[in-house]
Amino acid sequence: MLILGIESSCDETGLALYDTEQGLLTHALHSQIDMHAAYGGVVPELASRDHIRRALPLTQHVLEKAGKSLADVDGIAYTQGPGLSGALLVGTSIAESLAFSLNVPTIGVHHLEGHLLAPLLEPNPPAFPFVALLVSGGHTQLMRVSAIGDYELLGDTLDDAAGEAFDKTAKLLDLSYPGGPAVSKLANLGQPGTYQLPRPMLNSADLNFSFSGLKTAVLTLVNQHGNTLDDVARANIAHEFQEAVTEVLTKKCMAALRKTGLTQLIVSGGVGANTRLRERLNMVAKRRQYQVHYPRLEFCTDNGAMIAFAGAMRMQHAKQTDHSFTVRPRWDLAELTRP
């Protein structure tokens, strides 16, 4: 089957073509970062309007790049949730309209399932079961993944997600949007040991996370400097902040592998692109003879390829509908079942 995947849950418009025999044929992505940077964050109405402008041209682009036409498409997968309501409606309505005109089935994909399965697009994918760290601006979760649709939540954030803490720290340090890459870039210039920030829940008996206190500690540090907060201090704070986050994430991942008795870890989501996090995970995992798998950097953030792939894994069980639709801005991953 040739599956067209459409991602429009937030501020990136992603299209992709996945063939169940040949694999990923092509994908294209338009990021709205430059548009939202002026506001310091995503403006939902602007995001929705931009998806409308980009989705169909990107669809045509991936078809042409793969040497295919709409007539070759056997099914359409789209992000049904969670995400911004208006943004989700754009991708969903386009998907269902195209499917109606082509008389092909559709499948609504859970955005987080797309991220969880993204490493399976790589040349040497992990085999089930494995532990997954889903770490982004909206989520920080550890899960046991036994099969597609069989997900057990092991740990979750009690407040801020790790990516959210990166973004808020970036604002405190007067860095540009998006905050995660800006903090990481600045952290490379910092000197270790200058400051000492807390490692929230580092030694807790569970696998949960908490990052709001760390963000508050950064705020306190910034306020203590007042007008004396120069570039050197900013770099040192960014360095210590990144060390705190990555230490907590690494230790919790190792604890999850130990608790489950599994030996494979996958890391997905935007924060999964963080170089320091990958360094720490790879170093500790190698020492303990664990394997860590990541999606390629371009698939850490939102993209159409992961939606096309996740949809392809479920499409054979999709039911033909009248193409009426709804979106699910809030959608618990635990509600999913095996295809």
Side-chain angles (χ1 to χ4, degrees), residues 63-130:
L63 287 169
E64 291 176 355
K65 191 175 178 181
K68 303 290 183 180
S69 70
L70 280 174
D72 297 316
V73 173
D74 298 308
I76 301 178
Y78 60 90
T79 304
Q80 190 177 13
L84 301 174
S85 299
L88 291 168
L89 280 168
V90 174
T92 300
S93 60
I94 290 174
E96 293 292 355
S97 300
L98 280 176
F100 178 78
S101 67
L102 299 172
N103 193 30
V104 298
T106 58
I107 187 79
V109 173
H110 194 295
H111 181 74
L112 300 186
E113 181 170 62
H115 276 300
L116 281 177
L117 301 181
L120 302 185
L121 285 164
E122 299 308 310
N124 297 302
F128 296 110
F130 51 78

Side-chain angles (χ1 to χ4, degrees), residues 46-321:
L46 294 181
S48 302
R49 290 175 181 270
D50 199 62
H51 287 311
I52 293 172
R53 286 192 293 268
R54 309 291 180 178
L56 290 178
L58 284 175
T59 300
Q60 190 62 38
H61 174 73
V62 295
L63 287 169
E64 291 176 355
K65 191 175 178 181
K68 303 290 183 180
S69 70
L70 280 174
D72 297 316
V73 173
D74 298 308
I76 301 178
Y78 60 90
T79 304
Q80 190 177 13
L84 301 174
S85 299
L88 291 168
L89 280 168
V90 174
T92 300
S93 60
I94 290 174
E96 293 292 355
S97 300
L98 280 176
F100 178 78
S101 67
L102 299 172
N103 193 30
V104 298
T106 58
I107 187 79
V109 173
H110 194 295
H111 181 74
L112 300 186
E113 181 170 62
H115 276 300
L116 281 177
L117 301 181
L120 302 185
L121 285 164
E122 299 308 310
N124 297 302
F128 296 110
F130 51 78
V131 170
L133 171 67
L134 181 58
V135 57
S136 66
H139 301 86
T140 303
Q141 298 177 324
L142 279 165
M143 295 186 177
R144 177 191 171 101
V145 180
S146 299
I148 293 173
D150 189 350
Y151 311 125
E152 177 190 353
L153 182 64
L154 301 174
D156 202 349
T157 180
L158 303 181
D159 38 63
D160 289 354
E164 186 179 2
F166 266 98
D167 289 339
K168 290 178 178 178
T169 295
K171 287 186 177 181
L172 292 173
L173 298 177
D174 291 326
L175 301 178
S176 60
Y177 172 85
V183 171
S184 298
K185 183 177 180 180
L186 184 61
N188 293 332
L189 304 177
Q191 294 296 320
T194 307
Y195 301 108
Q196 183 65 44
L197 290 172
R199 271 63 170 164
M201 301 187 71
L202 181 68
N203 297 311
S204 67
D206 55 34
L207 298 175
N208 292 326
F209 304 90
S210 172
F211 294 106
S212 64
L214 177 59
K215 172 204 65 183
T216 302
V218 172
L219 174 61
T220 301
L221 199 53
V222 169
N223 288 339
Q224 286 174 352
H225 276 274
N227 295 330
T228 65
L229 185 67
D230 56 15
D231 291 343
V232 173
R234 285 190 179 92
N236 291 336
I237 292 172
H239 182 277
E240 174 62 12
F241 169 80
Q242 181 173 256
E243 287 299 296
V245 173
T246 56
E247 182 179 348
V248 170
L249 292 174
T250 300
K251 185 167 183 178
K252 294 286 185 174
C253 286
M254 295 304 109
L257 289 168
R258 186 170 61 252
K259 180 178 179 179
T260 59
L262 301 178
T263 59
Q264 296 182 108
L265 172 72
I266 71 108
V267 182
S268 287
V271 181
N274 182 278
T275 301
R276 180 57 177 151
L277 176 60
R278 292 189 176 206
E279 286 176 352
R280 297 189 87 141
L281 285 172
N282 290 340
M283 179 179 64
V284 178
K286 183 178 181 180
R287 191 163 63 238
R288 302 185 184 186
Q289 297 185 316
Y290 294 143
Q291 293 181 321
V292 188
H293 299 264
Y294 311 91
R296 66 199 77 169
L297 291 178
E298 61 188 326
F299 291 164
C300 285
T301 54
D302 297 348
N303 63 87
M306 67 181 191
I307 301 304
F309 176 73
M313 298 299 99
R314 291 181 174 274
M315 186 63 74
Q316 60 181 326
H317 301 284
K319 298 179 181 178
Q320 191 72 38
T321 68

